Amino acid sequence: MALLDFVRDIGNKLFSNEDEAPAKITQHIENNNPGLTNLSVEVKDGVATLSGTADSAAAKEKAILMTGNTAGIESIVDNIDAPAATETVNYYEVKSGDSLWKIAENTLGNGADYQKIFDANQEVIIDPDKIFPGQKLRIPTMV
């Protein structure tokens, strides 16, 4: 599963019908703004199109993850302008039974490094105790 593909029937329930999806997703991103301006969101048949300008590659990635980890969204069309990435990032799809500690053990080699994963995803997960199977997270390899 690529970064721009998600599981449509799981995630944060932000909207009840696709007509209200753009406004709800825009509000969700702006409330936890990872560094975007001039954000525009369109949704049709589970595909979200994001446009705007990001302060960094990380801000762009977070906006994509915030949108994709929303119930009702299965893929993203990325039209966000952003600077080139300055770090290597891998993506992890949360599995049943995972915790940030367990993910850190598997991806960073030390469960105690879970805070690094949380810090890299604060806008995406908000509460480290509330991750869910199918959710995608950023795992910076140079943390």
Side-chain angles (χ1 to χ4, degrees), residues 13-102:
K13 179 102 170 109
L14 299 179
F15 56 89
S16 54
N17 64 62
E18 213 166 72
D19 291 336
E20 65 183 28
K24 295 291 187 173
I25 292 170
T26 299
Q27 180 182 22
H28 174 60
I29 293 171
E30 288 177 349
N31 286 348
N32 302 290
N33 194 338
L36 281 123
T37 56
N38 302 318
L39 177 64
S40 172
V41 179
E42 297 175 21
V43 178
K44 180 159 177 63
D45 299 327
V47 178
T49 301
L50 301 178
S51 303
T53 304
D55 295 345
S56 65
K60 174 181 174 172
E61 293 161 1
K62 290 175 184 183
I64 290 169
L65 291 173
M66 291 169 77
T67 303
N69 288 327
T70 299
I73 302 299
E74 67 183 48
S75 65
I76 308 289
V77 175
D78 168 23
N79 292 327
I80 299 173
D81 292 323
T86 59
E87 65 182 350
T88 303
V89 177
N90 293 315
Y91 299 92
Y92 181 86
E93 186 171 325
V94 177
K95 297 169 191 64
S96 182
D98 272 348
S99 64
L100 289 184
W101 184 281
K102 186 174 178 181

